[in-house]
Amino acid sequence: MGIINVLDKHVAELIAAGEVVERPASVVKELVENAVDAGASAVTVEIKNGGITYMRVTDNGSGIFRDDVAVSFLRHATSKVHSQDDLDTISTLGFRGEALASIAAVSHVEMLTRTKDELAGTRYVIDGGVEQICEDAGCAQGTTIVVRDLFYNTPARMKFLKKDVVEANAIASILDRIALSHPEVSLRFLRDGKETLHTPGDGKLKSAIYAVYGKEFTSGLIPVDYELNGVALSGFVSKPSAARPNRSMQQFFINGRYVKSRTAMVALEEAFKGFIMVGKVPACVLHLKIAFHAVDVNVHPTKIEVRFMNEKPVFDVVYHGVKTALNQGDTPNVMTLPKPAVPAFEQPKAPVQMEWGIKPPVRPFQKTEESSRRLAVSDVQVPLYNTLFKVKKIEAPEPAPAEPASNMPAVQKADEIPVEPKAPPAEEISPKPQKPGKLVGEAFSTYILVQRGEDELVFIDKHAAHERMLYEKLKAEGGQAVQQMLLKPVTVTLEKNEYAAILESLSLCAEAGFEIEDFGSGTVLVRSAPMILEEDVASAVMEIAGYLQNAKNDIMTEKLNWLYHNIACRAAVKAGNESSPQELAALVQRLEDEDIRYCPHGRPAYIIMKKKDLERQFGRIQ
């Protein structure tokens, strides 16, 4: 006996969701959610050409009765809602009865299904919403639905579909979320004949996270288990050390449904305040269980947004639950270094200490293969001085004496440490005349104060100035010139759409100094990075991936400039960091030499205050 009924007009109008099929990912989402609602413990999804030409979803759920097969393709036909009162206590993923009707209207659909009480299954074919075949068929218990040639009869909608790889990645992203929302279901994804996802279905959330995001992401998680005011919270949050530059890896589920909740997101990030750096955000996979009548899931066509009867219990359970997990589970990393083995016949040598501008003791030099290799490097760069000082190969034993400028500290020339050459050059270019300047000091560890002449005080934003210097260096030399091989390749786990975006831009990343390879299953491998980039390489690649995913319509020049901006900003000396007088003097000298006025983002690198304006403030002049 059939259990599916057609909703009456009044109830159907209360649902009023409109079309649910926008792209292949919409089809897969609806069909897999139906399989989960049918009690399936295993679901297999197979696609070809991004799902545009072929999609197949197979489950081992309860199946559909023969009498209900044709009815299930009618609009607003569902077994999950019978009356208006049922809308207040929706516990299933699907409930509107629109999915199959909408899918069948724009594609060729074939269904094979059988319940456990039926001896023979049913094969049903419907094209463009018109029934073609309904006959007996041999099949296992459960349901298989094949969708071919999506939008074949609506070319206007077909032209809005994106490339196959983009559509396939959208499907992969949907399946990742379903796998995380229902770890008790074994989910398998075949993409053009290749298996890209297979979850164990053992009911353990951590197993599902491991299958979706891999070992590295899973190892940086802290478990959360908390209950407050009738709302239960469980799942995992990232350790503060594994924070990310964007929110793409924040996953919230309410009663087994993936949702976007600003309330939960704000509570999560409030709980992390004081644990992570400003500008970073935590990742999470969090499940909330709340009374069905306390949340309305029928407020958005894709059911991705919900409305709470009272948001405070949701905020409180996320905030206090995450805070408790951090206090208990965020143990500091302990690094142990092995004791270096020293041969018995050789005593360890004391290290030679050297300060800038001071020559180390001269030792008798014997040329060896190792020393020849070291001397071949003509431009050595060190982290703090990498763009302020350049150490050239010293040929003469004694450097020429340097005369300090007028009232400024006695420092070496900012561009390189001068030495006495063996032979004078054929032609000498007279240096650009500079106004005499006096380094006054530094304010707030951010602004350099320089007195220039007798009537000007210059305030220099050291981060903005240094950032512009690095940006110009990157533009002039290109990524390959500043690229260095990492001692250990870095693996970076990305959200599927970001993963696809960065794979499409590998050549662009190479121009900026990053050598990146596909490592499979949403992970990339970084082998090289810009030499000036001292911060976390993984964090930089995550931010780049997020930008590329949102800047698909930007031209290549704009993208490359953004990459240079981002690298320069990360590598530049930070506001609030202490700097030595030598570093400040070198920065001022380069600012004058290179005529830098603005940072790459357009902010001024310095401002000038006239003496008369200062005296006017003190009432010395009118």
Side-chain angles (χ1 to χ4, degrees), residues 112-134:
L112 284 170
T113 184
R114 184 178 72 83
T115 64
K116 66 177 182 179
D117 298 326
E118 293 177 322
L119 295 177
T122 303
R123 177 174 178 263
Y124 186 80
V125 178
I126 180 170
D127 292 340
V130 180
E131 179 181 323
Q132 303 294 325
I133 300 172
C134 183

Side-chain angles (χ1 to χ4, degrees), residues 107-386:
S107 62
H108 305 294
V109 177
E110 179 181 354
M111 174 189 284
L112 284 170
T113 184
R114 184 178 72 83
T115 64
K116 66 177 182 179
D117 298 326
E118 293 177 322
L119 295 177
T122 303
R123 177 174 178 263
Y124 186 80
V125 178
I126 180 170
D127 292 340
V130 180
E131 179 181 323
Q132 303 294 325
I133 300 172
C134 183
E135 61 185 11
D136 289 346
C139 60
Q141 178 186 332
T143 302
T144 298
I145 296 180
V146 179
V147 180
R148 295 182 175 89
D149 303 325
L150 187 65
F151 299 140
Y152 79 98
N153 55 353
T154 54
R157 296 174 71 177
M158 170 72 80
K159 68 181 181 181
F160 286 101
L161 294 178
K162 303 185 185 301
K163 295 179 181 178
D164 292 354
V165 65
V166 177
E167 297 295 345
N169 284 318
I171 294 173
S173 183
I174 290 287
L175 294 178
D176 286 352
R177 292 166 182 167
I178 295 177
L180 297 176
S181 66
H182 291 274
E184 75 281 3
V185 179
S186 176
L187 197 60
R188 186 166 176 248
F189 181 36
L190 299 173
R191 181 170 168 175
D192 294 317
K194 180 182 179 182
E195 182 180 277
T196 60
L197 175 67
H198 194 177
T199 63
D202 57 3
K204 298 178 182 178
L205 179 57
K206 195 164 188 178
S207 299
I209 296 174
Y210 188 97
V212 171
Y213 292 132
K215 178 181 178 181
E216 182 182 1
F217 180 84
T218 309
S219 63
L221 297 177
I222 300 173
V224 179
D225 191 4
Y226 199 78
E227 187 170 353
L228 182 68
N229 299 327
V231 182
L233 177 72
S234 62
F236 296 88
V237 295
S238 62
K239 293 179 180 179
S241 58
R244 304 177 73 87
N246 56 50
R247 299 184 177 91
S248 63
M249 301 290 270
Q250 290 184 358
Q251 313 281 1
F252 294 99
F253 304 92
I254 295 179
N255 296 334
R257 183 191 307 277
Y258 170 76
V259 299
K260 289 184 178 179
S261 171
R262 179 165 178 78
T263 302
M265 180 266 291
V266 172
L268 171 72
E269 295 182 11
E270 283 292 323
F272 266 85
K273 277 192 174 178
F275 286 86
I276 58 177
M277 295 173 56
V278 176
K280 295 293 186 71
V281 295
C284 71
V285 179
L286 291 175
H287 284 253
L288 288 130
K289 287 187 178 180
I290 186 171
F292 295 121
H293 68 272
V295 56
D296 184 4
V297 299
N298 188 33
V299 296
H300 192 273
T302 62
K303 311 165 194 169
I304 203 170
E305 295 179 8
V306 296
R307 184 183 295 121
F308 299 107
M309 183 181 296
N310 185 0
E311 294 187 351
K312 190 175 186 306
V314 176
F315 181 94
D316 289 346
V317 74
V318 174
Y319 178 82
H320 292 292
V322 172
K323 200 81 169 177
T324 301
L326 287 173
N327 289 330
Q328 296 176 351
D330 182 28
T331 56
N333 295 324
V334 179
M335 182 176 64
T336 58
L337 296 177
K339 185 178 180 180
V342 180
F345 58 85
E346 181 180 347
Q347 295 297 324
K349 298 178 181 179
V352 178
Q353 297 183 352
M354 181 178 72
E355 297 182 1
W356 289 96
I358 301 177
K359 186 178 177 183
V362 178
R363 298 176 182 272
F365 176 73
Q366 294 182 353
K367 187 173 181 180
T368 63
E369 181 181 352
E370 177 64 23
S371 63
S372 300
R373 226 174 13 245
R374 289 201 300 268
L375 288 175
V377 181
S378 62
D379 190 358
V380 181
Q381 296 183 332
V382 295
L384 196 54
Y385 291 79
N386 56 0

Side-chain angles (χ1 to χ4, degrees), residues 508-526:
L508 179 69
C509 294
E511 287 189 54
F514 291 93
E515 182 185 349
I516 300 175
E517 297 177 5
D518 182 8
F519 204 55
S521 300
T523 304
V524 295
L525 192 69
V526 185

